[in-house]
Amino acid sequence: MAKKTAAPLTFERFLRSIKVDKSHDHAEVLLLTCIDFRFFTLIAKEMDCKGLTGKYDHFILAGAALGAALDFSDAHLPEPKPPECSCKPLLPRLHWQQVFIEHVQIALKLHSTINRIIIIEHRECGAYKAFLKPEGYPKPTPKKDPERDAHKAQADKLEQIIKAHFPSLKVDKWLAQLKPDEVGPLMKHTPDARDSLLIESLS
Protein backbone atom coordinates (compact mmCIF):
# COMPACT_ATOMS: atom_id res chain seq x y z
CA MET A 1 0.00 0.00 0.00
CA ALA A 2 1.48 3.33 -1.06
CA LYS A 3 2.28 5.79 1.71
CA LYS A 4 0.36 9.01 1.77
CA THR A 5 2.51 12.03 1.05
CA ALA A 6 2.28 14.86 3.55
CA ALA A 7 0.41 17.93 2.38
CA PRO A 8 2.69 20.90 1.64
CA LEU A 9 3.04 23.35 4.51
CA THR A 10 0.82 26.36 3.98
CA PHE A 11 1.75 29.83 5.19
CA GLU A 12 -1.23 29.81 7.54
CA ARG A 13 -0.20 26.51 9.15
CA PHE A 14 3.39 27.74 9.36
CA LEU A 15 2.40 30.93 11.21
CA ARG A 16 0.13 29.01 13.57
CA SER A 17 3.03 26.64 14.36
CA ILE A 18 5.16 29.49 15.71
CA LYS A 19 4.93 29.45 19.48
CA VAL A 20 5.33 32.92 20.96
CA ASP A 21 5.74 33.86 24.61
CA LYS A 22 2.95 36.25 25.59
CA SER A 23 4.53 36.86 28.99
CA HIS A 24 6.78 39.61 27.57
CA ASP A 25 6.46 42.44 25.06
CA HIS A 26 9.52 41.67 22.94
CA ALA A 27 9.63 40.62 19.28
CA GLU A 28 10.43 36.99 18.51
CA VAL A 29 10.45 37.21 14.71
CA LEU A 30 12.11 39.53 12.19
CA LEU A 31 10.05 39.87 9.00
CA LEU A 32 11.74 40.91 5.73
CA THR A 33 9.55 42.06 2.85
CA CYS A 34 9.77 44.20 -0.29
CA ILE A 35 8.81 47.89 -0.44
CA ASP A 36 5.81 47.17 -2.75
CA PHE A 37 2.85 49.00 -1.19
CA ARG A 38 0.30 46.42 -2.34
CA PHE A 39 1.49 43.84 0.17
CA PHE A 40 1.87 45.81 3.45
CA THR A 41 -1.71 45.59 4.69
CA LEU A 42 -2.35 42.05 3.53
CA ILE A 43 0.83 40.58 5.03
CA ALA A 44 0.28 42.45 8.31
CA LYS A 45 -3.26 41.01 8.47
CA GLU A 46 -1.90 37.52 7.93
CA MET A 47 0.66 37.97 10.72
CA ASP A 48 -1.84 39.55 13.12
CA CYS A 49 -4.64 37.07 12.49
CA LYS A 50 -2.32 34.19 13.34
CA GLY A 51 -1.35 35.56 16.75
CA LEU A 52 1.84 37.46 15.94
CA THR A 53 0.57 40.96 16.72
CA GLY A 54 3.33 42.83 18.55
CA LYS A 55 5.71 39.87 18.28
CA TYR A 56 7.67 40.75 15.15
CA ASP A 57 9.93 43.51 13.84
CA HIS A 58 9.45 44.40 10.17
CA PHE A 59 12.35 45.34 7.89
CA ILE A 60 11.50 46.51 4.36
CA LEU A 61 13.97 46.49 1.46
CA ALA A 62 13.42 46.71 -2.30
CA GLY A 63 13.44 43.16 -3.60
CA ALA A 64 13.41 41.68 -0.07
CA ALA A 65 16.10 38.95 -0.25
CA LEU A 66 17.40 40.33 -3.53
CA GLY A 67 18.14 43.73 -2.00
CA ALA A 68 20.04 42.16 0.89
CA ALA A 69 21.96 39.60 -1.19
CA LEU A 70 23.04 41.38 -4.39
CA ASP A 71 26.45 42.93 -4.77
CA PHE A 72 25.52 46.49 -5.65
CA SER A 73 28.41 47.38 -7.84
CA ASP A 74 27.10 48.18 -11.33
CA ALA A 75 28.62 45.04 -12.86
CA HIS A 76 25.41 43.02 -12.49
CA LEU A 77 23.14 45.64 -14.04
CA PRO A 78 21.76 45.02 -17.53
CA GLU A 79 22.87 47.20 -20.44
CA PRO A 80 22.52 50.08 -20.89
CA LYS A 81 23.91 51.00 -17.49
CA PRO A 82 22.02 53.80 -15.75
CA PRO A 83 23.63 57.25 -15.77
CA GLU A 84 25.59 58.45 -12.77
CA CYS A 85 23.42 60.06 -10.12
CA SER A 86 23.93 63.83 -10.15
CA CYS A 87 23.57 64.07 -6.37
CA LYS A 88 26.55 63.47 -4.12
CA PRO A 89 26.22 60.19 -2.21
CA LEU A 90 26.40 60.20 1.56
CA LEU A 91 29.72 58.92 2.87
CA PRO A 92 30.33 56.23 3.81
CA ARG A 93 28.11 54.66 1.14
CA LEU A 94 26.57 51.71 2.93
CA HIS A 95 26.08 48.52 1.01
CA TRP A 96 22.45 47.34 1.14
CA GLN A 97 23.55 44.02 2.59
CA GLN A 98 25.44 45.84 5.34
CA VAL A 99 22.32 47.87 6.15
CA PHE A 100 20.29 44.66 6.47
CA ILE A 101 22.88 42.92 8.65
CA GLU A 102 23.20 45.94 10.93
CA HIS A 103 19.42 46.11 11.31
CA VAL A 104 19.37 42.44 12.31
CA GLN A 105 22.10 43.19 14.82
CA ILE A 106 20.21 46.08 16.41
CA ALA A 107 16.96 44.07 16.41
CA LEU A 108 18.73 41.28 18.32
CA LYS A 109 20.25 43.79 20.70
CA LEU A 110 16.82 45.25 21.44
CA HIS A 111 15.04 41.89 21.42
CA SER A 112 17.28 38.97 22.35
CA THR A 113 14.09 36.90 22.06
CA ILE A 114 14.16 37.02 18.22
CA ASN A 115 14.89 33.49 17.01
CA ARG A 116 13.89 33.48 13.35
CA ILE A 117 13.77 35.58 10.20
CA ILE A 118 10.83 35.22 7.82
CA ILE A 119 11.58 36.30 4.25
CA ILE A 120 8.57 37.03 2.05
CA GLU A 121 9.38 37.61 -1.62
CA HIS A 122 6.67 38.42 -4.15
CA ARG A 123 5.99 37.81 -7.83
CA GLU A 124 5.95 40.69 -10.32
CA CYS A 125 8.66 42.41 -8.27
CA GLY A 126 9.95 45.68 -9.71
CA ALA A 127 13.36 45.24 -8.10
CA TYR A 128 13.88 41.93 -9.88
CA LYS A 129 13.03 43.64 -13.16
CA ALA A 130 15.38 46.54 -12.39
CA PHE A 131 18.35 44.46 -11.30
CA LEU A 132 18.01 41.00 -12.86
CA LYS A 133 15.35 40.61 -15.55
CA PRO A 134 14.21 43.84 -17.26
CA GLU A 135 11.90 41.95 -19.63
CA GLY A 136 10.18 40.15 -16.74
CA TYR A 137 9.59 36.44 -16.27
CA PRO A 138 7.38 34.16 -18.37
CA LYS A 139 4.22 32.71 -16.88
CA PRO A 140 4.89 29.51 -14.93
CA THR A 141 4.02 26.14 -16.41
CA PRO A 142 3.61 22.79 -14.62
CA LYS A 143 7.23 21.99 -15.50
CA LYS A 144 8.97 25.38 -15.36
CA ASP A 145 8.72 28.41 -13.11
CA PRO A 146 11.71 30.68 -13.79
CA GLU A 147 10.35 33.47 -11.59
CA ARG A 148 10.04 31.19 -8.57
CA ASP A 149 13.52 29.80 -9.28
CA ALA A 150 14.96 33.34 -9.27
CA HIS A 151 13.33 34.21 -5.95
CA LYS A 152 14.43 30.92 -4.40
CA ALA A 153 18.02 31.49 -5.54
CA GLN A 154 18.17 34.92 -3.88
CA ALA A 155 16.38 33.74 -0.72
CA ASP A 156 18.77 30.77 -0.44
CA LYS A 157 21.72 33.11 -0.91
CA LEU A 158 20.47 35.42 1.82
CA GLU A 159 19.88 32.47 4.14
CA GLN A 160 23.56 31.56 3.80
CA ILE A 161 24.56 35.16 4.57
CA ILE A 162 22.30 35.23 7.63
CA LYS A 163 23.63 31.90 8.90
CA ALA A 164 27.21 33.12 8.49
CA HIS A 165 26.51 36.06 10.82
CA PHE A 166 23.77 34.63 13.03
CA PRO A 167 24.02 30.82 13.01
CA SER A 168 21.36 30.32 15.69
CA LEU A 169 18.60 32.07 13.75
CA LYS A 170 16.02 30.05 11.82
CA VAL A 171 15.28 31.30 8.29
CA ASP A 172 11.93 30.72 6.59
CA LYS A 173 11.47 31.61 2.91
CA TRP A 174 8.17 32.34 1.16
CA LEU A 175 6.87 33.71 -2.14
CA ALA A 176 3.69 35.80 -2.32
CA GLN A 177 1.44 36.84 -5.15
CA LEU A 178 -1.80 38.80 -5.43
CA LYS A 179 -4.75 36.99 -6.96
CA PRO A 180 -6.53 38.76 -8.53
CA ASP A 181 -3.67 41.09 -9.43
CA GLU A 182 -5.72 44.25 -8.91
CA VAL A 183 -6.29 43.62 -5.19
CA GLY A 184 -4.39 46.08 -3.03
CA PRO A 185 -4.77 48.51 -0.15
CA LEU A 186 -5.93 51.33 -2.45
CA MET A 187 -8.64 49.20 -4.06
CA LYS A 188 -12.09 48.45 -2.69
CA HIS A 189 -12.12 44.92 -1.43
CA THR A 190 -14.07 42.75 0.95
CA PRO A 191 -13.00 42.08 4.57
CA ASP A 192 -11.69 38.70 3.48
CA ALA A 193 -9.39 40.26 0.86
CA ARG A 194 -6.40 38.63 2.51
CA ASP A 195 -7.66 35.44 0.85
CA SER A 196 -6.35 37.09 -2.33
CA LEU A 197 -2.80 36.90 -0.96
CA LEU A 198 -1.31 33.57 -2.00
CA ILE A 199 1.93 32.61 -0.27
CA GLU A 200 3.93 29.49 -1.15
CA SER A 201 7.02 28.03 0.44
CA LEU A 202 10.46 28.54 -1.12
CA SER A 203 12.06 25.84 1.06
Side-chain angles (χ1 to χ4, degrees):
M1 184 175 179
K3 292 183 179 179
K4 291 183 179 180
T5 56
L9 181 65
T10 64
F11 190 64
E12 179 179 354
R13 284 174 51 209
F14 162 69
L15 290 183
R16 291 192 185 281
S17 73
I18 298 175
K19 306 301 181 184
V20 294
D21 187 349
K22 299 291 187 178
S23 67
H24 61 76
D25 295 327
H26 288 282
E28 298 179 45
V29 170
L30 179 65
L31 173 66
L32 171 65
T33 66
C34 182
I35 64 173
D36 192 315
F37 73 94
R38 298 171 299 168
F39 290 86
F40 295 160
T41 303
L42 299 179
I43 289 176
K45 283 183 178 179
E46 285 288 340
M47 300 290 284
D48 295 344
C49 288
K50 304 305 182 294
L52 289 170
T53 304
K55 302 303 289 183
Y56 66 95
D57 281 346
H58 191 176
F59 187 72
I60 298 173
L61 195 61
L66 176 72
L70 263 184
D71 178 3
F72 272 80
S73 67
D74 66 357
H76 68 282
L77 292 176
E79 295 291 349
K81 288 184 170 58
E84 288 290 330
C85 178
S86 59
C87 59
K88 293 183 178 179
L90 295 175
L91 297 175
R93 257 182 106 179
L94 295 178
H95 189 290
W96 287 22
Q97 185 181 120
Q98 180 181 345
V99 173
F100 171 73
I101 293 299
E102 289 181 354
H103 275 73
V104 177
Q105 288 175 329
I106 191 63
L108 291 172
K109 185 176 181 179
L110 295 171
H111 308 286
S112 60
T113 46
I114 290 177
N115 56 57
R116 75 194 315 142
I117 295 177
I118 300 175
I119 302 168
I120 303 182
E121 303 274 295
H122 73 87
R123 292 183 184 269
E124 299 286 327
C125 179
Y128 274 74
K129 290 181 180 179
F131 299 130
L132 290 184
K133 196 81 169 175
E135 68 276 21
Y137 293 92
K139 295 292 183 183
T141 68
K143 292 186 177 181
K144 290 185 178 182
D145 191 345
E147 185 174 21
R148 183 185 186 280
D149 293 344
H151 284 281
K152 178 171 171 53
Q154 295 303 321
D156 288 348
K157 183 178 178 181
L158 181 56
E159 180 180 16
Q160 293 178 353
I161 293 169
I162 292 169
K163 290 291 188 181
H165 291 275
F166 314 102
S168 65
L169 289 181
K170 299 174 185 176
V171 179
D172 306 287
K173 301 161 293 185
W174 298 85
L175 177 63
Q177 77 176 88
L178 296 176
K179 195 177 181 82
D181 293 338
E182 63 270 14
V183 170
L186 300 184
M187 301 289 184
K188 285 186 177 180
H189 50 269
T190 59
D192 62 350
R194 59 191 180 84
D195 292 339
S196 297
L197 182 65
L198 305 179
I199 304 180
E200 62 180 291
S201 175
L202 284 175
S203 298

